[in-house]
Amino acid sequence: MPDAVRRDGSDDPVHKKLCRAIERRQRSYLWTPADAISFVPRVLPIIYGDGRALFTLATTNQRPAYWVIRACSTWWCGLDTGSDAGPNFGDFTDDILTDLEEAFGSGRCGYSGNSLFWPKRDRILNCQCEECTDRYVARWPMVDGEGGCSWSRINWPAGFETVLNPLSKWIGNLLATTEIAEADHA
């Protein structure tokens, strides 16, 4: 992914406001309410393109927990209309997973590929490296990207000025450009 399409959002006022709105404990489940987990969704500190669209990304091994990605308004996914207008979010997932690992840590052993979310007794069956023999067990929001990921659009939370997304009229509004301009002048 070219450097020009991504930037650090750590000092971006809109990004800070988004983190405050998103990063709150919630309960979520994948298949049945009995299997619900509590977690805090995390916002990736990287902004892609104009940063006006929001997507969730969940790894197969960590669903239903997810990260929120601020992406370019030209990116499309899934059932979007006009999908030939710009790049597909799916084309960037490898780079986004790498950015997530850099931001939150990798939940995989660098030597054997063992999941560091597994208990030590399970890890040492396959590997005797320092990471696997340590008592430390990885915790959310560390990334276990083995096996792929899924993604979808989401709406901006309440409190942000938004506009209809021409690519996806049913979900995934866009941050209004006036909100960005106001933040730039603050």
Side-chain angles (χ1 to χ4, degrees), residues 145-184:
E146 184 74 20
C149 62
S150 59
W151 55 90
S152 64
R153 289 189 180 279
I154 59 169
N155 285 323
W156 281 80
F160 290 88
E161 186 181 344
T162 60
V163 296
L164 186 66
N165 186 338
L167 296 177
S168 179
K169 295 182 183 354
W170 62 279
I171 192 167
N173 55 16
L174 297 176
L175 184 67
T177 54
T178 54
E179 178 104 19
I180 296 170
E182 288 172 11
D184 288 342

Side-chain angles (χ1 to χ4, degrees), residues 22-26 39-43 66-68 140:
I22 296 283
E23 294 181 348
R24 297 176 180 205
R25 183 159 302 283
Q26 63 173 272
F39 76 104
V40 176
R42 297 296 302 266
V43 178
Y66 61 86
W67 297 268
V68 173
W140 175 260

Side-chain angles (χ1 to χ4, degrees), residues 53-57 67-69 71-72 75 77 89 151-154:
L54 291 183
F55 291 85
T56 62
L57 186 141
W67 297 268
V68 173
I69 313 300
C72 192
W75 292 8
C77 79
F89 183 91
W151 55 90
S152 64
R153 289 189 180 279
I154 59 169

Side-chain angles (χ1 to χ4, degrees), residues 2-44:
D3 288 337
V5 300
R6 63 187 293 279
R7 68 184 191 281
D8 182 4
S10 301
D11 294 328
D12 182 272
V14 172
H15 209 70
K16 288 179 181 179
K17 181 180 173 183
L18 178 64
C19 290
R20 288 190 302 273
I22 296 283
E23 294 181 348
R24 297 176 180 205
R25 183 159 302 283
Q26 63 173 272
R27 289 193 54 78
S28 186
Y29 63 91
L30 183 59
W31 303 112
T32 64
D35 296 324
I37 64 166
S38 289
F39 76 104
V40 176
R42 297 296 302 266
V43 178
L44 178 64

Side-chain angles (χ1 to χ4, degrees), residues 86-168:
N88 183 340
F89 183 91
D91 293 340
F92 298 104
T93 56
D94 287 343
D95 293 320
I96 292 170
L97 283 167
T98 299
D99 288 340
L100 284 167
E101 287 178 356
E102 288 176 8
F104 301 112
S106 175
R108 285 274 162 181
C109 169
Y111 180 71
S112 67
N114 277 344
S115 174
L116 298 177
F117 289 88
W118 297 345
K120 176 183 171 182
R121 70 179 179 279
D122 295 333
R123 296 190 313 246
I124 62 174
L125 294 174
N126 300 318
C127 184
Q128 299 295 314
C129 79
E130 198 173 286
E131 283 183 302
C132 289
T133 58
D134 190 0
R135 290 185 181 184
Y136 169 81
V137 176
R139 300 277 182 242
W140 175 260
M142 292 177 77
V143 181
D144 181 352
E146 184 74 20
C149 62
S150 59
W151 55 90
S152 64
R153 289 189 180 279
I154 59 169
N155 285 323
W156 281 80
F160 290 88
E161 186 181 344
T162 60
V163 296
L164 186 66
N165 186 338
L167 296 177
S168 179

